[in-house]
């Protein structure tokens, strides 16, 4: 499958950072899903760099849906979205093929593709490829909303500053979805942004932790082995550049706890079966249990920094000092959260389509 | 794919805890891989409960390779391993269909399978299904060793006690592979085992963190998007019962660090390209970079505990107290580590077969 | 995927002709499908050699369902069926590794598996592997029947003798399904059997053409490109040993016709939309159109014949005469038809599960 | 997978006949394959209608490679080709949604997509979607040629006229590849073209049989069950619109023969192992045997004809007469052959990549 993901709803990604255009094909969508181009644009806006905490490369992301939508609804056949590259400046990248940037894919690309890779701006590895994921994800998010399934992600921690935990998802998720800098506690948001600016001034970068909640997922989705909810989500989440850790529910934080505390006891609430705690993050035995699916992604600090770094010149096999010029983000965690939402929505649509068939996500008969 | 994993080397799992037998089919193995039944038995031994820290259900795990091996070597056609269930006592499980155990899959199984699931002993969800994974994994581990690729896992943390970090993999990995209770620091091992016994006496359970190192993986394995090394490994690792978190390299531990510290600088050592640190866990842009692949799995405390717990009776929709009898593990982390090694080996064989073709793992011509 | 087939309902085949046992894993079955072991046995009986027109190797095919069925119903988790090999006589096969039988896989197996293959009795290539396909297919056939979908296959042509065409499927299909030698016209059946016996006496073999009808498949199953009904069926049908041609509807027979005759005109009948002819075999644009799916498989004459044949000795690279001893079928077409039915049922269950979700094939709540 | 094909080299198709553009993503290509845009254009030229035997819809097919190629070579990351739609005239198609054309996908599309499909010009079902297959296939054909693997297809039969059989592939294949109307015997070509013109004048259409030869495929490619060479090729070939039959080697033509004639005897020639005949079409047990792979596709007569036809009006559920206006082909078999070559090349590249790894098809290090 390589650059594709999903068995019933499949996303295929193509393009390079400085190529002509980037895009994605989404196949397996139900017919009759309303496609709201304004919402896609709004989601892309959340991914775009902004203010003093983003790169100066500014792409308008004027996407085109070139197939799979007719009269404003999905047709049920493959939907292709393309986004042109406009503001690419390839001069900056001539050196990186032979002087790989630490923390980047330059070196592995050279080894894997034997020098044939398009190395300009990271090529196919570029974080820019998350734009078509967000555009495609927007359609998935819309389809899930129509089914009462909501996804929200906040920056739980960034630059040493913590946000408050999720509280009332019915309030928290819509608020996060509307925010450019998605933090639940406004004071924490200010501290984080201040910290990012500070680090940017030093020519350095920061990462952090994103926390995601999915509300409304039906019980019984996922498989006991391998295609578990956790396995499928993590598979896709780890391909978001910079994600180096994924945990569900309490995860590593409760590694020292006993079973009697970790176990989530079942109870009834308004005639529904719930668990009193949710340390398992809404998943038991790989299968959704009806509670909110909760997970966290660790986002490493952006590897492109202005500070000089030691690296190796391939040609000479000699240590050299690399000073990355170009335009880079001191943090991408606030931009990454909409990518997490999008990837999550795509995985859930895939799972739901497999479980309930190809018409599950569509609206009524035309 | 459901209960299968791997695109080029595919593992399919079947069986239930109290059924006639459990097993796995491994398809896509190169012909000519030496199959050492003693090594398979030894690996299964590492998974078996032992001493006072394991369940009293004792299975001899007399596996049979019923296809795919001829004269001691893989044939290249599907290899099927079966393991009979011997010591199953199904009396204990009649109640759990209607009174689901907290932290277990009883409730989701009832919802997903509409009451048709074999609920005895957890059925297909049982940790017992990891036995065929270990048996199949043993063959993968052997094949990787012949290629100079070594995998080792230790209990980094258990019951509040920490092991020392990996140091010299050439020494540490073989030591761990031979140990029943895989800890690098003997004193830590004693403390952990003591803690497990203590918790067992209280009718409770503990979890912890496993850390794995893979040495010798070639550069250039994995894909930029979706089928990344991290994505494929985590997909499979999350299906090990009780794993609720996976992180690569420094992961969550360095969430507060700056890029200038997190980035791994390239350098030359004995004519090879290395990185001076390994915070990225041997993977850049989803692709192996030639450094050891390092990752950690959070293993939640075993959900089956003797202590009384609150749960819900489905039939009455009333809260009830559940006292789990039967034979259970106060900890499974020490048994889980050989499952982690096995799953890792299977994923790597899958990746390597895709990269280098179906003959890569075979020995010479017969 | 290799020795697996199906995306939503997956069959994985394992075993060798003279190994310990052969079997199949069927994953993705809905829970709650009634499993009738007598019906499975009856279907296996249809595959077994009989009378003077079959090999003298007689296997009782005492299958065991070792997982995935509980209290007579599918559980929804992987169903594994095993069948022991009893009457294997491996003495006959020592020579074939180096003196490949014409029309068999001996030579390609040696090249592909580098001498590690289990060559006894054809090993994994043996037609005996169709027994687990038939056993698994029996469950799929049952599940389809409960949905009103019927499959029937007859020997349209064998040894130069033709059967009559399908007429009334409601009558023809049940009759065929009950017949050991499935021919619609009794006189043709006698002539075919006579011809097979004649050819057997000459130490030779015959093939022919099977024709299959599927009644009751809903409109709208299949995909426009690649995963067409024709593509998925042919993919699976061509793996039945000896099948060398597959055609849908009129196929090659109307290669000289004009569009005005080939096109199937739409009409209404009892309020349903039908086509007046069915030259397209129930499939338009890769998707079922509600008419019976009709297709034919060409079955080549059994390659194992008693007559001496020219072949090559690998070791000496010299032409040699091969006289195949052992026990062989002068025709397999009458045994192959239940394999065609089984494969067809499995493919349709896969398609229907994908289209309508994983619960589509199950019976009511337990 | 739906509108995708191939496990190691995957083609994903998108677009509709009258949409903005159509295209394909090809993922899994080795890096370093030379991409010759002139050759792609020449292959597209072979697919284009011409003279009096083609539709008057004339598309220039100015394709763009928008990703995956850098400096004239494949990068190893997904290659996307787009082709704009220029000469679409949608006025002609408003009626077909409710008055489905016989032999077309209009009716099944309405059922499957519930009225949301883009029905203009057949939408996603249009034969126009074979243009990106041909463009992508051209790259696969180039890569195979560099490995000494040649593919050629001729019109074996059309309108009741037969071409001569393949003779010397080294001469026949290059000749066919250069011909716009691919027939081995010039006289037969004239008769066929004359017949097509005649039928066109009557407002009718013809089909026929294509025969393909693949020379140079290594021994040992393909799997024993399911992913056989025949199964994979037929799966893809049946998605070419109008293909209703696929046979390998002698196929249906030798359905009446005995095994002693059908079997291909092994022999040595210039130190190579060959078979004296090739009735099995170069495949034994699903695996290539080193002889040319030979197969035939039955192409049904083009369903769009000018002659009035009976059909059903959905809305009224009444029989009506349909007179298809618009611009249509009286035959597509001569255009389909380059599609067959392209699909064949893509399947073989997929098989070879799986067998020998992702670098097999690349040229040398840059």
């Amino acid at each position: 499958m390589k650059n594709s993901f999903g068995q019933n709803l499949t996303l295929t990604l193509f393009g390079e950072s400085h190529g002509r255009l980037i895009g994605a094909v989404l196949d397996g969508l139900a017919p009759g899903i309303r496609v709201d181009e304004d919402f896609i644009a709004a989601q892309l806006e959340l991914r775009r760099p902004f203010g003093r905490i983003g790169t100066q490369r500014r792409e308008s992301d004027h996407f085109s849906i070139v197939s799979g939508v007719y009269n404003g609804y999905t047709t049920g056949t493959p939907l292709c979205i393309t986004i042109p590259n406009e503001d690419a400046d390839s001069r900056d990248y001539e050196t990186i093929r032979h002087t790989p940037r630490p923390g980047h894919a330059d070196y592995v690309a050279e080894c894997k593709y034997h020098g044939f890779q398009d190395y300009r701006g990271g090529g196919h590895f570029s974080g820019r490829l998350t734009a078509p994921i967000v555009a495609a994800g927007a359609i998935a998010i819309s389809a899930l909303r129509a089914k009462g399934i909501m996804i929200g992600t906040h920056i739980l921690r960034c630059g040493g500053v913590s946000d408050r935990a999720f509280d009332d998802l019915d309030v928290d998720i819509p608020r996060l979805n509307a925010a450019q800098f998605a933090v639940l506690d406004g004071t924490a948001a200010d501290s984080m942004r201040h910290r990012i600016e500070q680090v940017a001034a030093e020519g350095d970068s920061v990462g952090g932790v994103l926390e995601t909640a999915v509300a409304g997922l039906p019980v019984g989705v996922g498989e006991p082995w391998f295609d578990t909810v956790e396995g499928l989500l993590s598979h896709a989440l780890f391909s978001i550049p910079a994600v180096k850790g994924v945990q569900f529910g309490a995860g590593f934080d409760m590694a020292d706890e006993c079973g009697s505390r970790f176990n989530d006891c079942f109870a009834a609430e308004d005639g529904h079966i719930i668990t009193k705690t949710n340390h398992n993050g809404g998943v038991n035995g790989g299968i959704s249990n009806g509670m909110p699916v909760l997970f966290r992604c660790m986002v490493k600090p952006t590897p492109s920094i202005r500070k000089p770094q030691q690296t190796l010149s391939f040609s000479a096999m000699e240590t050299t000092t690399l000073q990355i010029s170009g335009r880079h983000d001191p943090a991408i965690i606030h931009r990454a959260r909409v990518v997490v939402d999008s990837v999550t929505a795509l995985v859930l649509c895939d799972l739901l389509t497999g479980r309930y068939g190809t018409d599950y996500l569509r609206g009524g008969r035309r």
Side-chain angles (χ1 to χ4, degrees), chain A:
Chain A
M1 292 283 283
K2 306 190 195 298
N3 296 279
S4 291
F5 191 81
Q7 193 165 321
N8 305 289
L9 176 66
T10 309
L11 182 80
T12 300
L13 214 55
F14 59 88
E16 294 94 29
S17 181
H18 291 206
R20 192 161 141 182
L21 52 79
I22 55 176
V25 181
L26 195 53
D27 192 12
L29 274 175
I33 297 173
R34 181 100 174 74
V35 175
D36 178 346
E37 301 215 353
D38 290 342
F39 179 63
I40 298 174
Q43 292 289 98
L44 284 168
E45 185 63 38
L46 295 181
R47 202 202 71 94
R48 249 198 299 283
F50 68 95
R52 279 170 299 178
I53 60 171
T55 168
Q56 293 311 303
R57 176 174 175 185
R58 296 294 156 96
E59 292 281 3
S60 57
D61 291 343
H62 288 312
F63 67 92
S64 300
I65 299 181
V66 298
S67 72
V69 173
Y70 186 53
N71 291 334
Y73 290 87
T74 56
T75 57
T77 53
L79 188 157
C80 180
I81 299 179
T82 58
I83 305 177
N85 288 319
E86 294 162 348
D87 190 22
D89 178 356
S90 301
R91 286 169 309 172
D92 300 337
Y93 293 94
E94 290 303 319
T95 54
I96 67 174
R97 218 192 114 193
H98 299 290
T99 320
R101 293 168 298 171
H104 270 284
D106 306 332
Y107 170 60
V108 296
E110 175 72 21
C111 295
K112 183 177 174 74
Y113 302 116
H114 308 283
F116 290 101
Q117 74 276 12
D118 179 353
Y119 46 80
R120 298 167 302 161
H124 185 60
F125 290 83
S126 168
R128 180 147 174 72
L129 272 281
T130 58
I133 295 180
V134 169
I139 299 169
I141 287 170
S142 297
L144 291 173
R145 279 187 189 171
K147 290 287 173 185
I149 302 167
M150 307 289 288
I151 303 167
T153 298
H154 69 125
I155 308 170
L156 180 69
R157 194 164 174 88
C158 175
V161 184
S162 289
D163 191 20
R164 72 160 167 84
F166 274 117
D167 178 19
D168 181 348
L169 294 182
D170 290 342
V171 177
D172 288 349
I173 290 179
R175 254 189 62 200
L176 290 174
N177 288 344
Q180 185 87 23
F181 193 85
V183 178
L184 293 167
D185 169 354
T187 320
D190 293 342
S191 304
M192 286 180 194
R193 295 179 68 153
H194 180 71
R195 179 74 187 123
I196 296 171
E197 290 173 25
Q198 210 173 24
V199 161
E202 294 162 11
D204 214 328
S205 65
V206 285
V209 177
L210 292 170
E211 186 179 45
T212 303
V214 180
L217 188 68
V219 194
V221 172
E223 299 296 328
W225 294 93
F226 306 122
D227 284 357
T228 61
V229 169
E230 294 115 320
L232 287 170
L233 277 171
S234 70
H235 189 152
L237 290 167
F238 270 118
S239 89
I240 302 174
V243 170
K244 297 299 274 189
V246 174
Q247 65 171 44
F248 289 80
F252 289 97
D253 309 335
M254 281 179 68
D256 288 342
E257 286 297 338
C258 286
S260 57
R261 257 212 75 206
F262 197 98
N263 278 351
D264 301 310
C265 291
F266 290 100
E269 193 180 68
D270 305 331
H272 291 94
I273 295 169
I274 61 155
T275 61
K276 287 188 183 171
T277 52
N278 191 6
H279 301 134
N280 284 281
V283 186
N284 289 136
I287 294 174
S288 60
N289 69 8
M291 293 298 291
V293 174
L294 293 173
F295 59 87
R296 296 181 185 175
C297 295
M298 186 270 171
V299 179
K300 73 173 187 176
T302 332
S304 290
I305 55 175
R306 219 176 52 238
K307 272 191 181 170
Q309 296 176 89
Q310 292 282 303
T311 188
L312 195 76
S313 156
F314 281 175
S315 29
M317 280 295 271
E318 269 173 17
T319 304
T320 179
T321 297
L322 179 73
Q323 169 105 36
I324 301 176
S325 57
R327 302 157 299 176
H328 302 286
D329 293 273
I332 53 135
I333 191 164
H334 55 293
R335 301 174 60 195
R337 71 86 195 225
V338 70
V339 186
V340 168
D341 284 350
S342 302
V343 159
T344 302
L346 290 163
V347 171
L348 296 180
C349 285
D350 180 39
L351 272 164
L352 290 162
T353 300
R355 178 77 178 90
Y356 300 115
T358 51
D359 276 0
Y360 178 75
L361 294 172
R362 85 179 165 94
R365 195 180 166 77
R366 200 175 170 185

